[in-house]
Amino acid sequence: MNDTHESESMPHVVILGGGFAGLAVAQQLKRTDVRITLVDRRNFHLFQPLLYQVATGELSPANIASPLRAILERNKNVEVLLSEIERLDLENRRVYLSDAELSFDYLVVATGSTHHYFGNEHWRQFAPGLKTVEDATEIRAKILEAFEAAELEDDPNVINALLTFVIVGGGPTGCELAGALAEVAHRTLKHEFRKIDPAQAKVMLVEPSAAPLHFYPSPLPTKAAEALSGLGVDVVTGYHVTDVDDCSVTLKASHDASTRTIQTRTVIWAAGVKASPLGEQLCQQAELSPARGGRVPVQSDCSIEGNERVFVCGDLAKFDDPEKGDLPGLAPVASQMGRHAAKCIQADLKGKPRKPFRYFDKGSLAVIGRLHAVGSIGRFKLHGFVAWSIWLMIHLMYITRFRNRVLVLVQWGWAFFTRDRSARLITGPSRIHSQTSPSEQARSA
Amino acid sequence: MNDTHESESMPHVVILGGGFAGLAVAQQLKRTDVRITLVDRRNFHLFQPLLYQVATGELSPANIASPLRAILERNKNVEVLLSEIERLDLENRRVYLSDAELSFDYLVVATGSTHHYFGNEHWRQFAPGLKTVEDATEIRAKILEAFEAAELEDDPNVINALLTFVIVGGGPTGCELAGALAEVAHRTLKHEFRKIDPAQAKVMLVEPSAAPLHFYPSPLPTKAAEALSGLGVDVVTGYHVTDVDDCSVTLKASHDASTRTIQTRTVIWAAGVKASPLGEQLCQQAELSPARGGRVPVQSDCSIEGNERVFVCGDLAKFDDPEKGDLPGLAPVASQMGRHAAKCIQADLKGKPRKPFRYFDKGSLAVIGRLHAVGSIGRFKLHGFVAWSIWLMIHLMYITRFRNRVLVLVQWGWAFFTRDRSARLITGPSRIHSQTSPSEQARSA
């Protein structure tokens, strides 16, 4: 590069994480005189809101993942590094990667969140969560393999367990997964098997509170529960999970001590998230006490106390909005925080004061099956077809890169008119042999 | 099922493998009074001729893979089982699967082929071949990771090795891969890196004979070599591989004893295939001596000697056509053999004599980069744009299922006009850490 000397003198902004927050920082700083290094362990930005459609075979991973380098090709001040982050050193302003070291003038940490099993990490092997492309293809394989194993099975109890799918957590992801999974079982696979009837499959959604989407304003939670029931989802409210193993999940009533054990081979975890491990390091070095879920408390400008050149954005941050309270872990929150951190850097460079961050809530929507969504846009509470149309438009609009928009639209159109889902591949290491062992275990159990 | 008794009395046709041959058998027998069981270890049929486009990030796996159950949904006499084949027993007409046992009246074995390292199986870990979806996503990750590691590297020798890609074998797959890989390096990634220049990457195609596609009629091999050179591929003819390790490949001249060692981190194996392991079992039990590459010699009706109810079709079979000699391992050969085996079963059921199989050669084409293909259709030798247009139409026509045809067309159109390839995901277990170790090894070597 010719401009080595010139660029060396420019402030160096290091962004950790290429999700919604990290990408927003880089994009907002496109024409600012800074050198930017964006570090991610993956070479793509993932449009996580549609990940459940990969898990249920409607879309391919590449449809919702865009190469970071392609997105940032024209951002000439951005260098992308594919690496693992090993250690931060806030005092000396350094970041240690698995194969490089960076020094920074500004740091934006936006490494997001991971699944939270609330101290029961051993449940992870039986109840995968949905955060990454690998999670999605693993869940997709698990769901499809359960039907395949049922077709090979003779014992009606084992068949029942194989055709029972339990989704833990009635937030947007849980509701969207449950709706899509009911469609897969009751529509897509309906005529494809010869011995079993996929339409007999049971999809259960377990939620500890009184209704799914309980943080949505009334009457939306009720409407969501009705829509799910209409799709054949068994909505189990007022129960939380007390145990998960390879052939069952145990529930306990939130109000009395009664328990239920459900025989199942497929449990999907949509019950909670916690901050990425980098949060702990950050809190230690900045002498902050982590907020619920290990998140890093940030100040009104999204920087952390005592380190005004270190910003934390997105799911990793705990931001208390004066009006809206603790901000949820949503893509728009992350994008807006990222953009705000970038604006603070721009203000610093111009010698202007930083402004406090304000979240502009455009609303949020969760899709429940075909033609139906539930949520709010501004002050309007919406459910049904209108909500679904708005959801569709917004998601198509926000999908990164035009090509993926076209591909997603073609596949949605196809799935809509034929009720088929073609991205139903079982890939990865063969688990066919392991299909027999749980069934044998169940027999002996 | 109501027709258990009726169907139990019908002849049972067991098909092993859901590739082009196996699928053709099932489809030809759609309206025949037989019970069919199709066994595959994967839940999808793979359109292998386009697998190289998955490996080079143009298409997603689901675009060229169709769920077997969806393809055969309306073939009511077909039952699909997802299982591993463990053992055959020709004498007692039984097939042992990992979780079931089948008895057959007719057996069609069509389990295809796998990579052939000619006794050097340890090369496999350094030089993956391209046969499965997992192979394709692994090769895709390997290629992209080499560029990523080069961007992080300082040592120019290591950068050179990382940006050198060696494809072993100048058949259609090797030529198609080399052309596509040259496009990726010289076009797609051109502006995406800040330190390295992907256009400096070297793509080498190693072929022992005097030209790539040497079994095509003259002047096509020369035309192929010219087209590859035009794309910036370094075509190394007259050399074969004598060693592969994690940082180099050693070549030996076919005519004199001279050797060459190329420093590279990415070797792709397209040099040879051998019959799937089931071929050995079949030959043993039928007392046949396996043909070159472990293939099973079949008779003029595609059945094996002494077992007229056992057919072997596709890549696994060695068929000597009276006019065309040893038939190549191509999709049309497999489809036609499968259809013929099915017709023999139909003839048997009607008490008519079986006819001998004749391969109808519609020709074959290999794509070399943008707008260019080489091959023959009937008696016509074609190269350049016309060949490419025909290739495009034929492949779109033969892709299983309409949805995938639309998706492939959209993505080809996009790639054509923008030179972009969006399915460039590095997925699977993170190999980032292992990127440093070969570079360190190279330094110490």
Side-chain angles (χ1 to χ4, degrees):
Chain A
M1 292 198 290
N2 304 327
D3 56 352
T4 312
H5 290 290
E6 192 190 324
S7 64
E8 288 290 307
S9 68
M10 286 201 280
H12 187 203
V13 180
V14 172
I15 305 169
L16 305 181
F20 287 101
L23 214 48
V25 178
Q27 280 163 337
Q28 176 69 28
L29 293 174
K30 186 173 181 181
R31 290 175 219 292
T32 305
D33 283 335
V34 290
R35 273 192 312 136
I36 301 171
T37 305
L38 189 151
V39 183
D40 200 296
R41 73 170 87 182
R42 286 301 187 204
N43 74 328
F44 50 83
H45 166 75
L46 184 65
F47 194 80
Q48 267 186 4
L50 289 177
L51 202 52
Y52 79 96
Q53 298 204 352
V54 174
T56 50
E58 191 158 352
L59 297 177
S60 279
N63 302 145
I64 60 161
S66 306
L68 283 167
R69 293 191 186 283
I71 301 172
L72 297 168
E73 186 179 354
R74 279 150 210 241
N75 294 47
K76 293 294 174 198
N77 60 354
V78 179
E79 194 176 308
V80 176
L81 294 185
L82 188 70
S83 194
E84 295 273 355
I85 302 145
E86 300 210 319
R87 196 162 62 79
L88 302 178
D89 180 349
L90 295 189
E91 205 182 324
N92 298 302
R93 289 189 179 159
R94 293 190 78 78
V95 177
Y96 295 87
L97 308 179
S98 56
D99 30 27
E101 268 182 55
L102 301 170
S103 65
F104 61 83
D105 297 302
Y106 286 94
L107 179 69
V108 184
V109 188
T111 47
S113 56
T114 179
H115 318 297
H116 197 356
Y117 291 87
F118 307 104
N120 298 288
E121 291 305 311
H122 58 288
W123 293 355
R124 184 187 290 262
Q125 57 182 310
F126 310 119
L130 186 61
K131 273 277 165 194
T132 66
V133 164
E134 288 80 5
D135 290 342
T137 50
E138 186 196 333
I139 289 175
R140 182 176 75 184
K142 250 184 108 100
I143 293 168
L144 296 170
E145 278 169 350
F147 288 99
E148 296 291 343
E151 179 83 347
L152 279 163
E153 185 58 59
D154 293 315
D155 184 333
N157 290 327
V158 179
I159 293 176
N160 261 342
L162 284 164
L163 295 184
T164 300
F165 300 88
V166 178
I167 294 155
V168 184
T173 303
C175 289
E176 290 177 327
L177 261 175
L181 189 42
E183 290 264 321
V184 167
H186 303 156
R187 307 275 184 190
T188 311
L189 300 180
K190 203 173 177 185
H191 301 292
E192 292 194 358
F193 289 80
R194 300 292 175 255
K195 288 182 180 153
I196 58 161
D197 177 6
Q200 299 298 315
K202 204 194 278 181
V203 179
M204 295 177 76
L205 181 68
V206 178
E207 164 63 33
S209 72
L213 301 178
H214 66 95
F215 46 82
Y216 276 29
S218 170
L220 297 179
T222 321
K223 293 289 172 190
E226 283 170 17
L228 285 165
S229 301
L231 287 167
V233 175
D234 187 1
V235 183
V236 181
T237 55
Y239 277 87
H240 61 272
V241 172
T242 56
D243 200 17
V244 186
D245 62 27
D246 62 349
C247 59
S248 71
V249 54
T250 308
L251 309 180
K252 194 173 167 189
S254 305
H255 294 296
D256 55 51
S258 67
T259 62
R260 274 177 79 171
T261 298
I262 297 151
Q263 301 298 320
T264 172
R265 295 297 155 72
T266 316
V267 183
I268 305 172
W269 194 257
V273 294
K274 64 177 176 190
S276 93
L278 223 48
E280 203 184 326
Q281 259 190 64
L282 264 176
C283 285
Q284 265 178 7
Q285 292 188 26
E287 294 176 357
L288 300 167
S289 30
R292 189 169 47 80
R295 289 173 301 161
V296 182
V298 295
Q299 305 184 99
S300 64
D301 61 355
C302 300
S303 72
I304 60 175
E305 207 186 311
N307 287 270
E308 61 173 15
R309 285 167 170 242
V310 177
F311 297 88
V312 180
C313 299
D315 286 10
L316 184 61
K318 159 82 160 74
F319 184 90
D320 269 312
D321 193 277
E323 287 165 35
K324 297 173 195 82
D326 189 0
L327 294 182
L330 294 173
V333 176
S335 295
Q336 291 181 33
M337 285 183 94
R339 214 172 305 128
H340 185 82
K343 284 181 183 168
C344 289
I345 296 171
Q346 290 169 329
D348 283 9
L349 298 181
K350 287 184 191 153
K352 291 185 182 168
R354 294 179 180 184
K355 289 184 185 155
F357 174 58
R358 281 290 168 277
Y359 172 51
F360 177 63
D361 185 1
K362 296 179 202 158
S364 72
L365 291 163
V367 162
I368 297 171
R370 261 164 86 85
L371 298 179
H372 200 103
V374 159
S376 56
I377 300 287
R379 280 182 227 153
F380 299 99
K381 297 172 203 165
L382 301 167
H383 58 91
F385 179 73
V386 175
W388 177 81
S389 317
I390 297 174
W391 177 92
L392 189 101
M393 280 188 300
I394 291 176
H395 280 73
L396 270 182
M397 219 162 67
Y398 277 99
I399 289 172
T400 327
R401 314 198 82 211
F402 178 74
R403 185 186 100 135
N404 282 341
R405 257 171 251 163
V406 176
L407 290 175
V408 167
L409 191 62
V410 170
Q411 288 176 92
W412 283 353
W414 178 261
F416 180 79
F417 288 110
T418 66
R419 295 175 182 241
D420 182 26
R421 289 152 186 266
S422 275
R424 280 183 277 140
L425 312 186
I426 303 177
T427 51
S430 175
R431 272 156 296 208
I432 296 169
H433 287 287
S434 66
Q435 286 176 356
T436 43
S437 47
S439 103
E440 281 155 13
Q441 281 164 16
R443 274 191 199 124
S444 63
Chain B
M1 290 197 292
N2 306 326
D3 56 353
T4 312
H5 289 289
E6 191 190 324
S7 65
E8 289 290 307
S9 67
M10 286 199 282
H12 187 202
V13 179
V14 172
I15 304 169
L16 305 181
F20 287 101
L23 215 47
V25 178
Q27 280 163 335
Q28 176 71 28
L29 292 176
K30 185 173 182 180
R31 292 176 216 292
T32 305
D33 283 336
V34 290
R35 273 191 313 135
I36 302 172
T37 304
L38 188 150
V39 183
D40 200 297
R41 74 169 86 180
R42 284 303 185 204
N43 75 327
F44 51 83
H45 167 74
L46 184 64
F47 194 80
Q48 268 186 4
L50 289 178
L51 201 53
Y52 79 95
Q53 298 203 352
V54 174
T56 51
E58 190 158 351
L59 297 177
S60 278
N63 302 145
I64 61 162
S66 306
L68 283 167
R69 293 191 186 281
I71 301 173
L72 297 169
E73 187 179 352
R74 280 149 210 243
N75 294 49
K76 294 293 176 199
N77 59 354
V78 179
E79 193 176 311
V80 176
L81 294 184
L82 188 69
S83 194
E84 295 273 355
I85 301 145
E86 299 211 320
R87 196 162 63 80
L88 302 177
D89 180 350
L90 295 189
E91 205 182 325
N92 298 302
R93 290 190 180 159
R94 294 190 78 77
V95 177
Y96 295 87
L97 308 178
S98 56
D99 30 26
E101 269 183 54
L102 302 169
S103 65
F104 61 82
D105 297 302
Y106 286 94
L107 179 69
V108 183
V109 188
T111 48
S113 55
T114 179
H115 319 295
H116 197 357
Y117 290 87
F118 307 103
N120 298 288
E121 291 304 312
H122 59 287
W123 293 355
R124 183 188 291 262
Q125 57 182 309
F126 311 118
L130 187 61
K131 273 278 166 194
T132 67
V133 165
E134 287 80 4
D135 290 344
T137 50
E138 186 196 334
I139 289 174
R140 182 176 76 182
K142 249 184 109 102
I143 293 169
L144 296 170
E145 277 169 349
F147 288 100
E148 296 291 343
E151 180 83 346
L152 279 163
E153 185 58 59
D154 294 315
D155 184 333
N157 291 326
V158 178
I159 293 176
N160 260 342
L162 284 164
L163 296 184
T164 300
F165 300 88
V166 178
I167 294 155
V168 183
T173 302
C175 290
E176 289 177 327
L177 260 176
L181 190 42
E183 289 264 322
V184 167
H186 303 156
R187 306 274 184 193
T188 311
L189 300 180
K190 202 174 178 186
H191 301 293
E192 293 195 357
F193 291 80
R194 300 292 175 254
K195 288 182 181 155
I196 58 161
D197 177 6
Q200 300 298 315
K202 205 193 276 182
V203 179
M204 296 177 76
L205 181 69
V206 178
E207 164 62 34
S209 72
L213 301 179
H214 66 94
F215 44 83
Y216 277 28
S218 170
L220 297 179
T222 321
K223 293 288 173 192
E226 283 169 16
L228 285 165
S229 301
L231 287 167
V233 175
D234 187 2
V235 183
V236 181
T237 54
Y239 277 87
H240 61 273
V241 171
T242 56
D243 199 17
V244 187
D245 61 28
D246 62 349
C247 58
S248 71
V249 54
T250 307
L251 309 180
K252 194 172 166 187
S254 305
H255 294 297
D256 55 51
S258 68
T259 62
R260 274 177 79 171
T261 298
I262 298 151
Q263 300 298 320
T264 173
R265 296 293 153 74
T266 316
V267 183
I268 306 172
W269 195 256
V273 292
K274 64 178 176 189
S276 92
L278 223 49
E280 203 184 325
Q281 259 191 62
L282 265 176
C283 286
Q284 266 178 7
Q285 290 188 27
E287 295 177 355
L288 299 167
S289 31
R292 189 169 48 80
R295 289 174 302 162
V296 182
V298 295
Q299 304 183 103
S300 64
D301 61 356
C302 299
S303 73
I304 59 175
E305 208 186 310
N307 287 271
E308 61 173 14
R309 285 166 170 243
V310 177
F311 297 88
V312 180
C313 299
D315 285 12
L316 183 62
K318 159 82 158 75
F319 184 91
D320 269 311
D321 193 277
E323 286 166 32
K324 298 173 195 82
D326 189 1
L327 294 182
L330 295 173
V333 175
S335 295
Q336 291 180 34
M337 286 182 92
R339 214 171 305 129
H340 185 82
K343 285 181 182 168
C344 289
I345 296 171
Q346 290 168 328
D348 283 10
L349 298 180
K350 288 185 190 152
K352 290 185 180 168
R354 294 179 180 183
K355 288 182 184 158
F357 174 60
R358 282 287 169 277
Y359 172 53
F360 177 63
D361 186 1
K362 296 178 201 159
S364 72
L365 291 162
V367 162
I368 297 171
R370 261 165 85 85
L371 299 177
H372 200 103
V374 159
S376 54
I377 300 286
R379 279 182 227 155
F380 300 98
K381 297 172 204 164
L382 302 168
H383 58 89
F385 178 73
V386 175
W388 178 82
S389 320
I390 296 174
W391 177 92
L392 188 101
M393 280 188 299
I394 291 175
H395 280 73
L396 270 183
M397 218 161 67
Y398 277 99
I399 289 172
T400 327
R401 316 198 79 210
F402 178 74
R403 187 186 99 136
N404 281 342
R405 255 172 252 162
V406 175
L407 291 175
V408 167
L409 191 62
V410 169
Q411 289 177 91
W412 282 354
W414 178 262
F416 180 78
F417 287 111
T418 66
R419 296 178 181 238
D420 182 25
R421 290 151 187 265
S422 275
R424 280 184 277 140
L425 313 186
I426 302 178
T427 51
S430 174
R431 271 156 297 209
I432 295 169
H433 286 287
S434 66
Q435 287 176 357
T436 43
S437 47
S439 103
E440 280 156 15
Q441 283 164 12
R443 275 190 199 124
S444 64

